[in-house]
Amino acid sequence: MKTNDVILQTASKVVFFIIILFSIHLFFTGHYHPGGGFVGGLMTSGAIVLLLLAYDIETVSKGFPIDYKILIAIGLFFAAGTAAGALLFNVPFLTHAFGYFDLPLLGKTSLHTAVLFDTGVYLTVIGVTMTIIQTIGESE
Amino acid sequence: MTNLLILPILIPLLTAIVLIFLSKWITAQRILSAVSAAGTFAACMILLRTVQEDGIQTLNLSSWQAPFGITLVSDMLSVLLVSTSTLITFCVILYSFRSIGKQRERFYYYPAIQFMLVGVNGAFTTGDIFNLFVFFEVMLMASYLLIVIGGTKIQLSESIKYILVNVISSAIFVITVAFLYSVVGTLNMADVSRRIAEIGQPPIITVIAVLFLIVFGIKGAIFPLYFWMPGSYQAPPVPILALFGSLLTKVGVYSILRTYSLFFYHDQPFTHELLNMLAILTIIAGVIGAIAYWDVKKIIIYNIIIAVGVLAFGISLATEEAYKGTIFYLIHDMIIKAALFLLIGVMIKITGTSNLRNMGGLIKKYPLLGWTFLVAAFALAGIPPLSGFVGKFLIVRAGFAEGAYIGSLVVLLSSLFVLYSVIKIFMNGFWKAPADYPGEEKQPVHYLWMPAAILVVVSILYGVGAEGMFPLISQATDALIDPAIYIDAVLKE
């Protein structure tokens, strides 16, 4: 008998977006509240893992046509690049800068280069987790 | 330029990241990794000049003031070690082009080497005890990949042991740092040293000192903790083995040297005496292994243990002369071990075996290789004009001056056995009746010989030019003898 997981798949589709939104919330709230790149990245990959459980590897990789190993490199590049950017201004490595900007819609917002560093962490964590899970899942 | 001293860490890091993108294009990977290693070496040389002229360089990362942020400290000792390890990595990268094989190269071999250089250079440069742990892990993670890359049976079984041992020792490292932090309340190494001096090393600090000795002893393979090393180092291919043998254990030795000269110098009758006894036992254990085996890899691996013992003995004496000898010997040993591993790698390539009994007569066809090996062997044993002599001489003289007669005699006698063990390779491998080895014509012997020869030449220059090196070594010793120099440079008082 062919198993039918229509309930699982339909529920996953809905829950996936909730998890993704929560992970993005965690990522952006990291400076003032608990959260940040690491846990945000883990939760994003958790959402993708949910899809992996509900569907199969081919379907999910069709949905996210990303080479996760490259994603690791991009993440590392973000982090190292932000840190090395300090070299251009001749201040010590890893020195960050921030400022307040009046953005349309959002109003007065503080922007900090630490977010770029955190983006690096976020992408690297997703890349590493998904590489591990995909490699184990695919190997016979 | 304020950021000069981070370049030996940053250049390999950025290179490693770019190399991940290039994993499919082997030629591009080779060119980029060689060029970047050469560039890193150039940066090291500039840094060396700067440290020589302006004294200890420090960099407060993120612009946070010294005890509160992570500080990178480049004194003469660390800049010498950083330059040496970069040079060795450069030669190993050149050697890998024709020996490691396309399959491994496609599977992130060069990024792993660059990440390992990041870890090693970072561990030599950092001025923060927890940051030291992090760089240890960077180095070890890369070495886990390097030891298992290729996935042959022996590599798989040995990498399990290697990872297990290192995970445990890293856990002890974290626990030890936690102990230290709960006692002194700071992680900056200069600040730790100052606070220990204030409280005058109570017994709990001595316990922490012994715990550090256990941690770095596992990493650096001193006497009861070296058990994992002969097996694990035998598994990976030769270029990787050369990197491990010359860099990884020496980071452990450097950490012992740093912590025992900067933190734990108040209760020397206990801590340094313990180190002294372990050092002597390490030398003896290494000697027994070095003369027992007929496998060329094993012989050189046990020679690493002997050298670690000699270095630990030098550290345990804790006099100015002994430190000078230790630093001199440390740099010599890194270079010559890498050269020896690369040379026996060529021998293994030619003969297709690492068993000495099945080799012979190589000098007929490969005289250049043979004589290079002989020079390297003499340098290792410490024959006077060559590089091994000065360091050992200073250590032994300091030993006699301090009344450590047994240790000094063991060091002297160990040279004899070291010489015996490597001459055994020479006599059995290069002399004896020549034999035919299937497939030897196809091996790029002359190409592989070249990087090893570069290292041997450097080692000869280092030995002959000992007079020229001496001011640098003295400058490195000053900060070890007088921790106040280091502390003032970091905390800017």
Side-chain angles (χ1 to χ4, degrees):
Chain A
M1 195 188 89
K2 204 165 162 265
T3 52
N4 190 339
D5 33 6
V6 66
I7 293 180
L8 177 65
Q9 292 186 346
T10 316
S12 305
K13 271 182 205 160
V14 180
V15 173
F16 172 77
F17 287 102
I18 301 172
I19 302 177
I20 286 280
L21 283 179
F22 184 51
S23 76
I24 291 172
H25 169 74
L26 275 178
F27 170 70
F28 278 111
T29 191
H31 201 78
Y32 296 108
H33 302 283
F38 186 78
V39 66
L42 269 188
M43 190 149 285
T44 307
S45 36
I48 303 174
V49 169
L50 177 67
L51 287 188
L52 277 175
L53 289 177
Y55 296 88
D56 53 313
I57 286 188
E58 284 83 45
T59 318
V60 176
S61 59
K62 222 181 275 168
F64 299 96
I66 305 167
D67 183 352
Y68 290 106
K69 293 195 269 311
I70 297 295
L71 195 65
I72 300 175
I74 295 172
L76 286 174
F77 198 78
F78 257 97
T82 315
L87 265 64
L88 298 177
F89 303 98
N90 206 25
V91 287
F93 188 71
L94 265 172
T95 304
H96 288 288
F98 69 97
Y100 293 92
F101 297 92
D102 268 322
L103 299 179
L105 284 180
L106 294 170
K108 190 184 168 200
T109 317
S110 83
L111 296 178
H112 199 296
T113 49
V115 177
L116 291 175
F117 190 88
D118 234 19
T119 312
V121 177
Y122 180 77
L123 295 176
T124 310
V125 169
I126 297 176
V128 170
T129 330
M130 292 317 296
T131 307
I132 293 172
I133 291 170
Q134 241 180 13
T135 324
I136 295 174
E138 275 168 356
S139 74
E140 294 293 318
Chain B
M1 182 169 149
T2 39
N3 285 299
L4 181 60
L5 68 120
I6 201 160
L7 287 184
I9 307 170
L10 187 62
I11 297 174
L13 177 63
L14 291 175
T15 314
I17 295 168
V18 175
L19 285 175
I20 298 178
F21 289 112
L22 299 176
S23 69
K24 288 196 187 74
W25 296 279
I26 294 175
T27 319
Q29 282 199 65
R30 288 176 177 171
I31 295 171
L32 182 61
S33 45
V35 167
S36 111
T40 316
F41 187 66
C44 291
M45 285 296 113
I46 298 172
L47 181 59
L48 185 74
R49 295 292 306 173
T50 317
V51 172
Q52 191 187 6
E53 275 157 20
D54 306 342
I56 299 177
Q57 300 288 309
T58 63
L59 175 67
N60 294 320
L61 294 187
S62 313
S63 313
W64 292 102
Q65 280 315 303
F68 306 114
I70 291 172
T71 310
L72 295 184
V73 187
S74 225
D75 63 345
M76 189 45 99
L77 173 61
S78 55
V79 74
L80 280 173
L81 293 174
V82 164
S83 319
T84 316
S85 40
T86 308
L87 176 70
I88 290 168
T89 310
F90 176 67
C91 290
V92 169
I93 288 172
L94 288 186
Y95 190 92
S96 305
F97 291 167
R98 303 285 293 272
S99 82
I100 197 76
K102 286 221 163 56
Q103 209 137 31
R104 288 190 170 102
E105 281 179 309
R106 215 171 282 139
F107 210 85
Y108 304 103
Y109 171 73
Y110 293 115
I113 285 192
Q114 297 288 341
F115 273 124
M116 194 162 130
L117 189 63
V118 173
V120 171
N121 282 354
F124 285 142
T125 314
T126 186
D128 183 284
I129 195 79
F130 195 77
N131 200 227
L132 178 69
F133 167 77
V134 174
F135 276 123
F136 258 101
E137 287 306 302
V138 172
M139 173 182 95
L140 288 171
M141 293 279 169
S143 78
Y144 298 156
L145 171 60
L146 286 174
I147 202 171
V148 82
I149 193 169
T152 57
K153 218 172 197 175
I154 179 170
Q155 281 180 296
L156 292 175
S157 73
E158 290 302 335
S159 64
I160 288 181
K161 295 174 205 163
Y162 179 75
I163 293 173
L164 205 63
V165 166
N166 277 303
V167 166
I168 291 170
S169 82
S170 298
I172 306 176
F173 196 168
V174 174
I175 294 166
T176 314
V177 171
F179 271 137
L180 186 68
Y181 185 68
S182 64
V183 176
V184 297
T186 179
L187 290 170
N188 182 297
M189 278 152 77
D191 206 27
V192 168
S193 168
R194 198 182 56 177
R195 296 203 185 177
I196 289 178
E198 275 168 13
I199 54 177
Q201 194 160 350
I204 181 72
I205 296 283
T206 308
V207 172
I208 292 168
V210 175
L211 277 172
F212 268 124
L213 185 61
I214 292 172
V215 171
F216 298 137
I218 296 178
K219 313 275 189 202
I222 65 174
F223 166 62
L225 310 166
Y226 72 95
F227 54 89
W228 55 273
M229 189 177 141
S232 301
Y233 277 23
Q234 206 192 1
V238 165
I240 299 171
L241 173 58
L243 267 187
F244 282 19
S246 56
L247 302 185
L248 290 192
T249 50
K250 304 308 182 295
V251 180
V253 172
Y254 164 80
S255 306
I256 296 178
L257 178 59
R258 186 60 90 195
T259 48
Y260 271 56
S261 66
L262 190 62
F263 298 171
F264 310 118
Y265 55 91
H266 304 281
D267 187 14
Q268 291 194 1
F270 185 79
T271 50
H272 287 60
E273 202 60 32
L274 177 69
L275 185 60
N276 190 303
M277 285 187 310
L278 291 180
I280 294 169
L281 289 171
T282 310
I283 298 175
I284 294 171
V287 161
I288 292 172
I291 55 179
Y293 282 97
W294 280 82
D295 182 304
V296 280
K297 277 186 183 176
K298 276 260 162 87
I299 293 174
I300 310 290
I301 288 169
Y302 275 99
N303 269 301
I304 301 176
I305 299 175
I306 302 176
V308 168
V310 173
L311 292 167
F313 178 69
I315 297 169
S316 76
L317 295 171
T319 62
E320 193 178 349
E321 196 170 34
Y323 279 145
K324 271 182 195 160
T326 310
I327 296 168
F328 214 98
Y329 196 73
L330 183 57
I331 295 164
H332 144 78
D333 194 65
M334 288 168 79
I335 298 172
I336 206 71
K337 283 283 148 56
L340 276 172
F341 277 122
L342 295 184
L343 285 169
I344 62 162
V346 183
M347 292 170 70
I348 294 171
K349 275 271 177 200
I350 296 170
T351 59
T353 171
S354 65
N355 189 340
L356 211 44
R357 289 200 172 89
N358 299 336
M359 293 183 181
L362 293 181
I363 198 102
K364 269 252 158 57
K365 274 192 196 154
Y366 310 102
L368 227 57
L369 178 68
W371 298 122
T372 319
F373 184 85
L374 188 70
V375 172
F378 280 164
L380 180 71
I383 308 275
L386 297 168
S387 60
F389 172 69
V390 187
K392 236 177 216 176
F393 174 71
L394 288 172
I395 291 176
V396 169
R397 202 166 71 174
F400 279 122
E402 285 289 291
Y405 297 111
I406 301 174
S408 311
L409 284 175
V410 168
V411 170
L412 280 178
L413 280 177
S414 77
S415 305
L416 216 57
F417 289 108
V418 166
L419 187 62
Y420 168 74
S421 68
V422 277
I423 288 299
K424 187 164 87 178
I425 298 180
F426 183 73
M427 286 175 54
N428 288 288
F430 289 97
W431 290 355
K432 272 194 343 196
D436 272 332
Y437 303 105
E440 65 172 303
E441 270 74 33
K442 276 182 282 174
Q443 300 300 342
V445 173
H446 283 103
Y447 177 83
L448 292 181
W449 166 79
M450 201 181 60
I454 296 175
L455 286 174
V456 173
V457 168
V458 170
S459 137
I460 293 172
L461 292 177
Y462 182 63
V464 176
E467 196 70 42
M469 284 299 291
F470 218 72
L472 303 182
I473 306 277
S474 301
Q475 198 185 344
T477 315
D478 289 341
L480 293 179
I481 285 294
D482 185 8
I485 297 175
Y486 187 95
I487 296 170
D488 289 346
V490 176
L491 299 178
K492 306 254 169 25
E493 282 167 352

